[in-house]
Amino acid sequence: MEVITSLGMRVADENSAFLGLDRLLLMENAGRAVAEELARRLGDLRGRRVVVLAGPGNNGGDGMVAARHLASMGASVSVILLGREKDLRTDEARANWSVLKNMLLSVELRTARTAEELRRAWEEFGASGADAIVDAIFGTGLRGRIRSPYSDAIELVNSAGGLVLAVDVPSGLDPDSGRPSEPTVRADVTVTFHKPKPGLLRPEARDFVGELVVASIGMPPEAELVVGPGDLRAHLRLSRPPHAKKGDFGRVLVIGGGLDYSGAPALSALAALRTGADLAIVASPRSVAGVIRSFSPNLIVRTLSSDRLVSEDVPFLLELARYATSVVVGPGLGTDEETFTAVAEFLAKAKDLRPLVIDADAIKALSAIPVDLSGARAVITPHAGELRLLSGRDVPPPGDLRARMNFVREVARALGVTVLLKAHVDVISDGERVKINLTGNPGMTVGGTGDVLTGVVATFLSWGLGPFEAACLGAFVNGMAGDLAARELGYHITATDVIERIPAVLKPYERLELGTPGL
């Protein structure tokens, strides 16, 4: 049976909203599924007594929706909110609590912040003798030790005489490992949503889960396939400790530039800095090093020995790579035969040294002089023409997305690295997993936006993300920054416009530690 982890479920939930599906609708579908399952088990609900124990999060919100539907089916419904109304954590839970407050004749409500208040409400509702108890206390987000009044609520549920139905996960059970906390709800039936969580299928969890029912809540399959804000929130840790020092958040080395191109490596380095890397070092041939140095005082430029990258530079580049925390190879290097040889020599020696982003002319070099990169922490970022060179096969057309996804997965598996195919819909695969990215717009056909992407991906690699995650998030952030630029400027954007909007994409996910009181 296909499963989804608690983290994967949180990602899919947020990405569903990104795709345009209101979270209130998902909560509505979840709560209704709970009510309908209870009705199937109890039969005619008229005259039946049901008590819902609701926590302050979205699991509690699901229980509130279930309470409304149960009341509409004729049940006598009581809801105990564990905490105060002001403790409700999400807009969706608050909205459904507001609805229940207006159901003056069909639903009884109580709040319980303490164990004493909980027991008083429990006795007032006669919950021990109710026909059913709905456990909507905790969902998949439970962390740490269970404290009062939640622990008291779980113990009361386990002492009740009626049917116990758990919403999504029995409260106290780890949804991924199946390990119970002390205490954990022992449910007769668990209604889980979208897909089973792996812990629910563990043999040791059976006594807590009871019968497992998997309910569809209308979550689109694309919510797991598309890179979205959920992935960003799940994988990026953008907060910084107060005592962070220079270098703690990445030293990105960009190897690029040549007789004809000076802007490409500078754009990658500047994008790395805007994403949040502490240092960006550009190693360039002497023909362009001075020009790149003049672009910005924020760049550290190291000059190579010749007018183009040559094999004699490889030992120096390896020395720089040991200092760096990720390495970009390719922007603007040119297609000289000596340069291709130097790229191949460097990749062969650096593949086990640092995470790599291989782009632009380095992809052409790799196509001409193959290097075994299997097992390297590497991301290759081709467009369709470069992927054709790299694979020796025609890339499926943009209109056949499934074929493109399969193709990219096959190439990534054969190369043993992560491949990010840049296109209207980006396709990312590590040979096993596949994701697509929908951000970005036709204005980003302007030169340099691929170099920006390279710098973003390199920064995420320098922070310790795996190649697949770094590639997925890099594609999303780069495309979203481009969308912000196009929204403001239309199709009159440049690569530097994209760079300047990277902070606007990332800032909502940051927790700032400011030294000035009151800011």
Side-chain angles (χ1 to χ4, degrees):
M1 185 181 294
E2 190 175 358
V3 300
I4 186 169
T5 65
S6 59
L7 176 62
M9 192 65 186
R10 290 197 299 275
V11 170
D13 181 74
E14 189 162 357
N15 287 353
S16 291
F18 173 68
L19 294 174
L21 182 60
D22 196 313
R23 284 174 167 168
L24 270 172
L25 182 57
L26 289 176
M27 185 173 284
E28 181 69 22
N29 292 344
R32 181 167 184 163
V34 168
E36 289 176 346
E37 184 61 32
L38 205 55
R40 275 193 288 272
R41 291 171 183 275
L42 295 181
D44 188 354
L45 289 178
R46 287 174 293 184
R48 297 280 198 171
R49 283 192 299 128
V50 180
V51 175
V52 177
L53 282 168
N58 277 341
N59 194 251
D62 295 338
M64 295 171 202
V65 174
R68 171 164 45 84
H69 281 283
L70 289 166
S72 73
M73 296 173 184
S76 174
V77 182
S78 304
V79 179
I80 303 173
L81 173 63
L82 298 173
R84 299 295 188 225
E85 181 178 350
K86 66 180 182 180
D87 299 325
L88 291 169
R89 296 174 187 155
T90 70
D91 292 340
E92 294 77 23
R94 282 187 286 270
N96 279 295
W97 179 255
S98 295
V99 174
L100 292 183
K101 287 198 301 180
N102 290 323
M103 297 174 67
L104 303 178
L105 301 177
S106 56
V107 178
E108 294 180 293
L109 302 180
R110 295 292 183 274
T111 60
R113 188 176 55 184
T114 66
E116 182 182 352
E117 291 176 346
L118 169 63
R119 288 192 173 86
R120 190 158 54 240
W122 184 266
E123 292 171 3
E124 181 183 347
F125 291 151
S128 294
D131 295 290
I133 303 293
V134 175
D135 161 31
I137 304 170
F138 297 124
T140 59
L142 175 64
R143 297 291 182 274
R145 188 166 70 89
I146 300 175
R147 301 178 183 277
S148 182
Y150 305 107
S151 57
D152 305 274
I154 291 172
E155 289 170 351
L156 287 172
V157 169
N158 288 338
S159 70
L163 177 76
V164 175
L165 185 151
V167 177
D168 204 18
V169 178
S171 293
L173 189 74
D174 186 295
D176 296 318
S177 69
R179 288 192 297 269
S181 300
E182 182 59 45
T184 294
V185 164
R186 294 181 178 271
D188 298 299
V189 58
T190 297
V191 179
T192 198
F193 307 127
H194 185 56
K195 293 177 181 177
K197 312 331 175 261
L200 300 178
L201 302 178
R202 303 276 296 191
E204 57 267 34
R206 192 170 298 138
D207 290 343
F208 302 96
V209 174
E211 183 180 346
L212 181 64
V213 175
V214 182
S216 172
I217 56 174
M219 183 175 284
E222 286 79 3
E224 293 182 63
L225 176 64
V226 170
V227 187
D231 298 270
L232 205 60
R233 195 181 303 278
H235 296 295
L236 279 189
R237 299 292 179 264
L238 292 171
S239 60
R240 301 191 178 195
H243 302 294
K245 62 185 185 301
K246 182 168 63 179
D248 287 353
F249 289 86
R251 298 182 295 272
V252 176
L253 169 64
V254 178
I255 302 171
L259 287 167
D260 297 319
Y261 300 104
S262 60
L267 290 169
S268 293
L270 290 169
L273 290 173
R274 270 291 182 231
T275 304
D278 284 350
L279 296 170
I281 305 160
V282 182
S284 289
R286 66 188 182 196
S287 55
V288 291
V291 175
I292 294 171
R293 188 176 287 112
S294 71
F295 285 155
S296 172
N298 298 299
L299 301 179
I300 300 170
V301 180
R302 304 302 300 270
T303 306
L304 302 181
S305 65
S306 175
D307 286 343
R308 59 178 60 84
L309 175 63
V310 293
S311 294
E312 287 76 12
D313 294 316
V314 171
F316 178 56
L317 293 177
L318 290 170
E319 181 184 327
L320 292 176
R322 291 186 184 94
Y323 173 73
T325 50
S326 70
V327 181
V328 170
V329 188
L333 278 175
T335 56
D336 185 85
E337 185 177 343
E338 283 185 287
T339 297
F340 278 12
T341 300
V343 168
E345 291 175 0
F346 176 79
L347 291 176
K349 294 176 179 177
K351 65 177 185 176
D352 298 322
L353 191 61
R354 289 290 181 264
L356 301 168
V357 183
I358 302 168
D359 185 31
D361 293 328
I363 297 175
K364 299 181 180 72
L366 194 60
S367 303
I369 309 174
V371 175
D372 181 9
L373 295 173
S374 56
R377 294 171 293 167
V379 179
I380 302 178
T381 58
H383 53 59
E386 292 166 339
L387 187 57
R388 181 177 57 79
L389 285 176
L390 195 60
S391 65
R393 299 158 56 192
D394 288 333
V395 180
D400 194 346
L401 184 56
R402 287 189 184 278
R404 280 199 158 201
M405 291 164 58
N406 290 332
F407 183 83
V408 172
R409 177 163 37 202
E410 290 171 8
V411 175
R413 184 181 297 132
L415 295 175
V417 298
T418 292
V419 175
L420 193 175
L421 172 60
K422 299 179 288 192
H424 171 62
V425 176
D426 303 315
V427 180
I428 308 102
S429 179
D430 61 358
E432 298 296 331
R433 298 170 289 179
V434 179
K435 282 229 175 195
I436 61 175
N437 174 58
L438 303 181
T439 62
N441 61 83
M444 296 179 72
T445 56
V446 66
T449 57
D451 302 308
V452 176
L453 168 65
T454 296
V456 178
V457 174
T459 302
F460 293 156
L461 284 173
S462 77
W463 291 350
L465 268 67
F468 181 71
E469 289 76 18
C472 288
L473 298 188
F476 176 81
V477 170
N478 183 64
M480 183 64 76
D483 288 344
L484 293 177
R487 191 173 301 159
E488 182 180 343
L489 302 171
Y491 291 153
H492 314 284
I493 63 178
T494 65
T496 52
D497 293 323
V498 177
I499 291 173
E500 291 308 312
R501 284 157 182 82
I502 292 171
V505 179
L506 296 177
K507 189 176 178 182
Y509 303 91
E510 295 176 345
R511 187 177 71 249
L512 299 179
E513 298 281 351
L514 301 177
T516 304
L519 292 181

